[in-house]
């Protein structure tokens, strides 16, 4: 008999209606939110449509007129209070993440801390938006460059980090003086609505932070409003490259500023000089976090011939010892379900294709009940296999054996996307060469986890436009105004 799991969080944080202009709003219909581990319904949420999205944009536009006039310190204080509230309620927020997206509780707690860290970081960066006084070529004028908020920002986020992907964008926007309308993923609206509740408690004014949850059926029409409404000045999206291209086309008619954090296909390279223990640890962290459902997740593993067999042996034993499938609320679970059946079917298809082309399954390989997938290790992988050509978004670890550094770089760069890349080496000269040669926006050297609010996050090629986080992240929500002050007496 299947065990029943119950979502138990404090009432104020379990919100099921949209949040527009400081009010909780119902829609004409509702849509279910399911626990991906069991398929059980955990809540029914207001299914907002284009009308609600339009009202949210209008509310954000009205609120922008006053929010942009707040001092940087005033905005900083509000963001810091929001950060404090996230940390105060971290356990309940983590439960919401675990039940709506399936990740283990310890990872959900990590996401809450990561989510909150962007509020903390940008509460500090709000006070560091500096303009420039530029030396003038003429004695009777002064040249100043001012930085001002762009306006209303539409924020469209994925299900795999249902809290952190919102704060990474919204914190920067609010710090800059912008207001936002958030459309969370249809699978995971509860975390977004909990953020809205805590934003209100923190003193974020009505209309500054709005959330319009909607079902998959209404996602396109709501997204169209958020990308085409003339009152929206900026869109920020995290998700697939295909969807990002659609949103960019929608935003083009009104020439909106756009940030796109799109798909990845990260290479993970282990050179002969690597510390094998550290490389195995990095592979485990990079591949199996959130059951392989992250945009910076390592997708293609390249291991040099001299170290290949030892690495494969240690990696297989680490998988046996460390990976435990189960419901995310169970203390021992390290691997939750994939988000839905389609995700599991994609992994199964990639495994079947690889095996049909000569790959060997060393661990796992099977789909279990619902959307659970066995963590899978493949050997004998070649570049003609689908798993080396398309992002997996699941617990599949395909290993390609290579001989030379040049060969590894050619394989690693043979992709239309370039978000993150990982490699392990103890050769300092090689570290510099490979770092500069990899066609990605982020490189992790002898490390399996790289995300932090202090550093930039973004890719090259078709992995997106713009960056998030770090000291540069706030610039995505600012425009530079040139001020020429003339008529002065020299």
């Amino acid at each position: 008999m299947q065990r029943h799991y119950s979502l138990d969080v404090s009432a104020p944080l379990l919100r099921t209606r949209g949040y527009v202009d400081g009010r909780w709003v119902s829609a004409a219909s509702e849509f279910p939110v399911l626990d991906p581990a069991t398929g059980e319904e955990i809540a029914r949420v207001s299914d907002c449509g284009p009308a609600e999205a339009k009202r949210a944009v209008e509310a954000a536009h009205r609120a922008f007129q006053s929010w942009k006039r707040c001092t940087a310190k005033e905005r900083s204080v509000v963001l810091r209070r929001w950060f404090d509230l996230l940390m105060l309620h971290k356990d309940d927020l983590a439960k919401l993440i675990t039940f709506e997206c399936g990740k283990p509780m310890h990872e959900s707690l990590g996401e809450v801390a990561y989510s909150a860290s962007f509020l903390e970081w940008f509460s500090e960066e709000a006070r560091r938006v500096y303009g420039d006084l530029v030396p003038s070529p003429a004695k009777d004028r002064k040249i100043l460059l001012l930085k001002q908020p762009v306006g209303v920002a539409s924020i469209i986020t994925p299900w795999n980090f249902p809290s952190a992907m919102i704060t990474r964008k919204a914190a920067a926007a609010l710090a800059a003086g912008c207001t936002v309308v958030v459309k969370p993923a249809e699978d995971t609206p509860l975390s977004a609505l909990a953020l809205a509740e805590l934003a209100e408690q923190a003193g974020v004014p009505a209309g500054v932070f709005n959330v319009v949850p909607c079902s998959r059926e209404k996602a396109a029409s709501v997204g169209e409003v958020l990308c085409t409404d003339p009152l929206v000045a900026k869109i920020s999206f995290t998700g697939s490259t295909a969807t990002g291209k659609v949103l960019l086309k929608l935003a083009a008619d009104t020439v909106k500023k756009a940030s796109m954090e799109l798909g990845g296909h990260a290479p993970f390279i282990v050179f002969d000089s690597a510390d094998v223990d550290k490389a195995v640890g990095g592979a485990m962290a990079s591949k199996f976090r959130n059951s392989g459902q992250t945009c910076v997740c390592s997708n293609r593993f390249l291991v040099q011939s001299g170290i290949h067999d030892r690495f494969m042996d240690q990696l297989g034993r680490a998988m046996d010892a460390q990976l435990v499938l189960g419901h995310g609320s169970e203390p021992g679970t390290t691997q939750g379900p994939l988000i839905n059946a389609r995700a599991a079917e994609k992994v199964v298809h990639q495994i079947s294709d690889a095996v049909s082309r000569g790959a060997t399954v060393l661990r796992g390989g099977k789909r279990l009940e619902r959307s659970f997938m066995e963590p899978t290790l493949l050997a004998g992988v070649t570049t003609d296999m689908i798993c080396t050509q398309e992002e997996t978004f699941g617990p599949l670890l395909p290993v390609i054996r290579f001989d030379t550094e040049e060969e590894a770089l050619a394989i690693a760069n043979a992709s239309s996307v370039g978000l993150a890349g990982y490699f392990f080496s103890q050769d300092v000269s090689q570290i510099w060469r490979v770092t500069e040669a990899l066609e990605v926006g982020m490189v992790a050297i002898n490390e399996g986890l790289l995300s932090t609010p202090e550093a930039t996050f973004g890719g090259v090629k078709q992995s997106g436009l713009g960056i998030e986080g770090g000291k540069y992240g706030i610039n995505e929500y600012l425009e530079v105004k040139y001020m020429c002050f003339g008529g002065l007496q020299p």
Side-chain angles (χ1 to χ4, degrees), residues 90-91 93-99 101-115 161 284-285 288-291 322-336 449:
K90 63 181 184 297
D91 290 336
L93 295 172
K95 290 177 186 176
L96 289 173
I97 293 171
T98 289
F99 272 82
C101 93
K103 68 178 61 173
M105 190 66 181
H106 69 91
E107 287 192 20
S108 296
L109 285 165
E111 180 180 344
V112 174
Y114 184 50
S115 177
F161 286 89
M284 293 291 291
F288 296 114
R289 183 171 60 122
N290 198 17
S291 298
Q322 298 175 29
L323 302 181
V324 179
L325 277 74
H327 193 282
S329 65
E330 293 282 0
T333 296
T334 67
Q335 299 291 285
L449 300 174

Side-chain angles (χ1 to χ4, degrees), residues 371-385:
S371 59
F372 282 92
M373 277 297 307
E374 288 183 336
T376 300
L377 175 61
L378 294 181
V381 174
T382 54
T383 56
D384 62 337
M385 299 174 184

Side-chain angles (χ1 to χ4, degrees), residues 33-317:
V33 180
L34 307 179
D35 179 347
T38 65
E40 295 179 359
E41 184 177 299
I42 55 177
R44 295 191 68 81
V45 173
S46 294
D47 193 2
C48 296
E52 288 82 9
K54 176 69 174 175
R55 287 198 290 271
V57 168
E58 291 170 348
H61 188 259
R62 288 192 300 271
F64 175 62
Q65 309 312 316
S66 55
W67 181 248
K68 69 180 179 181
R69 288 195 294 268
C70 291
T71 67
K73 183 173 182 180
E74 287 170 335
R75 294 196 295 268
S76 173
V77 168
V78 171
L79 287 169
R80 177 69 199 202
R81 284 201 298 261
W82 199 3
F83 160 78
D84 290 335
L85 286 168
L86 259 68
M87 297 310 295
L88 180 65
H89 295 283
K90 63 181 184 297
D91 290 336
D92 279 348
L93 295 172
K95 290 177 186 176
L96 289 173
I97 293 171
T98 289
F99 272 82
E100 65 179 350
C101 93
K103 68 178 61 173
M105 190 66 181
H106 69 91
E107 287 192 20
S108 296
L109 285 165
E111 180 180 344
V112 174
Y114 184 50
S115 177
S117 72
F118 287 105
L119 297 174
E120 179 183 41
W121 173 258
F122 284 110
S123 75
E124 297 162 349
E125 289 299 291
R127 302 180 67 181
R128 301 190 183 101
V129 176
Y130 303 130
D132 295 289
L133 179 61
V134 181
S136 172
K139 294 179 179 179
D140 64 344
R141 68 191 63 175
K142 296 293 183 183
I143 296 175
L144 296 92
L145 302 179
L146 312 179
K147 289 185 179 179
Q148 296 182 310
V150 298
V152 176
S154 293
I155 291 175
I156 303 174
T157 55
W159 51 263
N160 59 334
F161 286 89
S163 181
M165 294 302 95
I166 294 174
T167 58
R168 190 162 74 186
K169 302 171 187 297
L174 268 61
C178 296
T179 56
V180 302
V181 179
V182 178
K183 191 204 85 63
E186 61 270 15
D187 293 303
T188 56
L190 301 180
S191 291
L193 296 170
L195 286 174
E197 167 64 30
L198 294 179
E200 184 175 280
Q201 291 182 26
V204 175
V208 171
F209 183 83
N210 307 274
V211 181
V212 283
C214 67
S215 62
R216 184 179 302 274
E217 291 71 25
K218 292 185 179 178
S221 59
V222 169
E224 184 173 356
V225 171
L226 298 183
C227 292
T228 60
D229 193 297
L231 297 181
V232 173
K234 156 86 180 182
I235 61 171
S236 181
F237 169 71
T238 295
S240 71
T241 298
T243 301
K245 291 177 180 179
V246 171
L247 300 183
L248 281 171
K249 289 176 182 177
L250 289 173
D253 282 345
T254 45
V255 196
K256 300 190 191 305
K257 191 176 176 73
S259 298
M260 296 275 141
E261 194 267 281
L262 307 177
H265 194 36
F268 185 106
I269 308 171
V270 184
F271 290 104
D272 281 344
S273 68
D275 181 316
V276 176
D277 291 338
K278 289 182 179 179
V280 168
M284 293 291 291
S286 175
K287 177 74 256 186
F288 296 114
R289 183 171 60 122
N290 198 17
S291 298
Q293 300 173 109
T294 80
C295 54
V296 293
C297 183
S298 294
N299 221 56
R300 299 166 293 155
F301 287 76
L302 293 80
V303 183
Q304 199 159 11
S305 296
I307 208 169
H308 176 274
D309 292 350
R310 183 180 165 201
F311 175 84
M312 296 295 281
D313 176 64
Q314 289 189 212
L315 179 59
R317 286 190 278 115

Side-chain angles (χ1 to χ4, degrees), residues 456-473:
T456 55
F457 192 104
V460 299
K461 299 181 177 179
Q462 293 185 38
S463 280
L465 303 169
I467 53 175
E468 297 180 331
K471 71 175 184 177
Y472 300 105

